[in-house]
mmCIF file of all heavy atoms in Angstrom:
data_model
loop_
_atom_site.group_PDB
_atom_site.id
_atom_site.type_symbol
_atom_site.label_atom_id
_atom_site.label_comp_id
_atom_site.label_asym_id
_atom_site.label_seq_id
_atom_site.Cartn_x
_atom_site.Cartn_y
_atom_site.Cartn_z
ATOM 1 N N GLY A 340 76.207 90.613 140.201
ATOM 2 C CA GLY A 340 77.312 89.922 139.526
ATOM 3 C C GLY A 340 76.874 88.681 138.756
ATOM 4 O O GLY A 340 77.281 88.459 137.611
ATOM 5 N N GLU A 341 75.997 87.891 139.382
ATOM 6 C CA GLU A 341 75.580 86.637 138.745
ATOM 7 C C GLU A 341 74.786 86.906 137.458
ATOM 8 O O GLU A 341 75.026 86.295 136.417
ATOM 9 C CB GLU A 341 74.713 85.857 139.730
ATOM 10 C CG GLU A 341 74.821 84.358 139.558
ATOM 11 C CD GLU A 341 74.069 83.643 140.673
ATOM 12 O OE1 GLU A 341 74.378 83.898 141.862
ATOM 13 O OE2 GLU A 341 73.153 82.889 140.335
ATOM 14 N N LYS A 342 73.877 87.870 137.564
ATOM 15 C CA LYS A 342 73.068 88.220 136.381
ATOM 16 C C LYS A 342 73.965 88.750 135.267
ATOM 17 O O LYS A 342 73.819 88.386 134.102
ATOM 18 C CB LYS A 342 72.042 89.297 136.735
ATOM 19 C CG LYS A 342 70.830 88.745 137.429
ATOM 20 C CD LYS A 342 69.780 89.804 137.643
ATOM 21 C CE LYS A 342 68.612 89.184 138.403
ATOM 22 N NZ LYS A 342 67.601 90.105 138.791
ATOM 23 N N VAL A 343 74.881 89.627 135.667
ATOM 24 C CA VAL A 343 75.774 90.212 134.668
ATOM 25 C C VAL A 343 76.565 89.099 133.976
ATOM 26 O O VAL A 343 76.682 89.071 132.749
ATOM 27 C CB VAL A 343 76.727 91.251 135.322
ATOM 28 C CG1 VAL A 343 77.852 91.637 134.370
ATOM 29 C CG2 VAL A 343 75.946 92.490 135.744
ATOM 30 N N GLN A 344 77.077 88.166 134.773
ATOM 31 C CA GLN A 344 77.866 87.073 134.197
ATOM 32 C C GLN A 344 77.038 86.276 133.187
ATOM 33 O O GLN A 344 77.509 85.930 132.100
ATOM 34 C CB GLN A 344 78.384 86.156 135.322
ATOM 35 C CG GLN A 344 79.442 85.152 134.861
ATOM 36 C CD GLN A 344 80.628 85.834 134.171
ATOM 37 O OE1 GLN A 344 81.256 86.729 134.736
ATOM 38 N NE2 GLN A 344 80.917 85.446 132.927
ATOM 39 N N ASN A 345 75.776 86.024 133.549
ATOM 40 C CA ASN A 345 74.882 85.305 132.622
ATOM 41 C C ASN A 345 74.730 86.061 131.314
ATOM 42 O O ASN A 345 74.814 85.487 130.233
ATOM 43 C CB ASN A 345 73.479 85.162 133.232
ATOM 44 C CG ASN A 345 73.406 83.951 134.116
ATOM 45 O OD1 ASN A 345 74.236 83.058 133.999
ATOM 46 N ND2 ASN A 345 72.432 83.931 135.008
ATOM 47 N N PHE A 346 74.489 87.366 131.445
ATOM 48 C CA PHE A 346 74.282 88.174 130.236
ATOM 49 C C PHE A 346 75.569 88.262 129.410
ATOM 50 O O PHE A 346 75.522 88.286 128.188
ATOM 51 C CB PHE A 346 73.772 89.577 130.599
ATOM 52 C CG PHE A 346 72.358 89.584 131.131
ATOM 53 C CD1 PHE A 346 71.995 90.387 132.203
ATOM 54 C CD2 PHE A 346 71.383 88.784 130.549
ATOM 55 C CE1 PHE A 346 70.692 90.388 132.687
ATOM 56 C CE2 PHE A 346 70.070 88.781 131.026
ATOM 57 C CZ PHE A 346 69.730 89.580 132.106
ATOM 58 N N VAL A 347 76.695 88.306 130.105
ATOM 59 C CA VAL A 347 77.978 88.335 129.381
ATOM 60 C C VAL A 347 78.137 87.014 128.622
ATOM 61 O O VAL A 347 78.490 86.995 127.437
ATOM 62 C CB VAL A 347 79.158 88.580 130.356
ATOM 63 C CG1 VAL A 347 80.499 88.347 129.656
ATOM 64 C CG2 VAL A 347 79.104 90.008 130.914
ATOM 65 N N ASN A 348 77.822 85.902 129.297
ATOM 66 C CA ASN A 348 77.945 84.588 128.643
ATOM 67 C C ASN A 348 77.039 84.466 127.424
ATOM 68 O O ASN A 348 77.374 83.810 126.444
ATOM 69 C CB ASN A 348 77.613 83.461 129.626
ATOM 70 C CG ASN A 348 78.645 83.369 130.736
ATOM 71 O OD1 ASN A 348 79.749 83.929 130.606
ATOM 72 N ND2 ASN A 348 78.317 82.703 131.827
ATOM 73 N N LEU A 349 75.880 85.135 127.518
ATOM 74 C CA LEU A 349 74.929 85.079 126.389
ATOM 75 C C LEU A 349 75.273 86.092 125.295
ATOM 76 O O LEU A 349 74.589 86.190 124.276
ATOM 77 C CB LEU A 349 73.505 85.365 126.893
ATOM 78 C CG LEU A 349 72.869 84.284 127.775
ATOM 79 C CD1 LEU A 349 71.613 84.817 128.453
ATOM 80 C CD2 LEU A 349 72.535 83.053 126.939
ATOM 81 N N GLY A 350 76.317 86.874 125.552
ATOM 82 C CA GLY A 350 76.730 87.875 124.556
ATOM 83 C C GLY A 350 75.833 89.104 124.544
ATOM 84 O O GLY A 350 75.798 89.854 123.570
ATOM 85 N N LEU A 351 75.095 89.325 125.646
ATOM 86 C CA LEU A 351 74.170 90.468 125.692
ATOM 87 C C LEU A 351 74.788 91.687 126.376
ATOM 88 O O LEU A 351 74.358 92.818 126.165
ATOM 89 C CB LEU A 351 72.883 90.075 126.434
ATOM 90 C CG LEU A 351 72.099 88.900 125.834
ATOM 91 C CD1 LEU A 351 70.946 88.494 126.742
ATOM 92 C CD2 LEU A 351 71.570 89.269 124.453
ATOM 93 N N MET A 352 75.776 91.425 127.238
ATOM 94 C CA MET A 352 76.461 92.518 127.939
ATOM 95 C C MET A 352 77.960 92.295 127.845
ATOM 96 O O MET A 352 78.408 91.168 127.584
ATOM 97 C CB MET A 352 76.084 92.535 129.428
ATOM 98 C CG MET A 352 74.711 93.042 129.721
ATOM 99 S SD MET A 352 74.434 93.165 131.503
ATOM 100 C CE MET A 352 74.198 94.913 131.647
ATOM 101 N N ALA A 353 78.716 93.373 128.093
ATOM 102 C CA ALA A 353 80.172 93.225 128.135
ATOM 103 C C ALA A 353 80.709 94.091 129.260
ATOM 104 O O ALA A 353 80.114 95.119 129.616
ATOM 105 C CB ALA A 353 80.772 93.637 126.801
ATOM 106 N N LEU A 354 81.812 93.648 129.817
ATOM 107 C CA LEU A 354 82.449 94.390 130.900
ATOM 108 C C LEU A 354 83.897 94.618 130.498
ATOM 109 O O LEU A 354 84.655 93.665 130.292
ATOM 110 C CB LEU A 354 82.360 93.560 132.189
ATOM 111 C CG LEU A 354 82.849 94.192 133.478
ATOM 112 C CD1 LEU A 354 82.115 95.489 133.796
ATOM 113 C CD2 LEU A 354 82.688 93.216 134.641
ATOM 114 N N GLU A 355 84.252 95.898 130.336
ATOM 115 C CA GLU A 355 85.641 96.229 129.993
ATOM 116 C C GLU A 355 86.178 97.110 131.095
ATOM 117 O O GLU A 355 85.784 98.273 131.203
ATOM 118 C CB GLU A 355 85.697 96.987 128.657
ATOM 119 C CG GLU A 355 85.555 96.092 127.447
ATOM 120 C CD GLU A 355 85.490 96.882 126.136
ATOM 121 O OE1 GLU A 355 85.611 98.133 126.161
ATOM 122 O OE2 GLU A 355 85.295 96.237 125.095
ATOM 123 N N GLY A 356 87.030 96.574 131.932
ATOM 124 C CA GLY A 356 87.493 97.340 133.095
ATOM 125 C C GLY A 356 86.289 97.655 133.961
ATOM 126 O O GLY A 356 85.555 96.768 134.377
ATOM 127 N N GLU A 357 86.053 98.945 134.184
ATOM 128 C CA GLU A 357 84.913 99.355 135.028
ATOM 129 C C GLU A 357 83.678 99.666 134.181
ATOM 130 O O GLU A 357 82.658 100.089 134.696
ATOM 131 C CB GLU A 357 85.292 100.607 135.831
ATOM 132 C CG GLU A 357 86.417 100.411 136.819
ATOM 133 C CD GLU A 357 85.966 99.713 138.105
ATOM 134 O OE1 GLU A 357 84.760 99.503 138.290
ATOM 135 O OE2 GLU A 357 86.847 99.372 138.919
#
Side-chain angles (χ1 to χ4, degrees):
E341 210 173 304
K342 280 186 182 174
V343 168
Q344 192 55 55
N345 275 341
F346 290 139
V347 169
N348 293 344
L349 290 167
L351 301 173
M352 286 185 117
L354 185 58
E355 282 175 3
E357 296 282 353

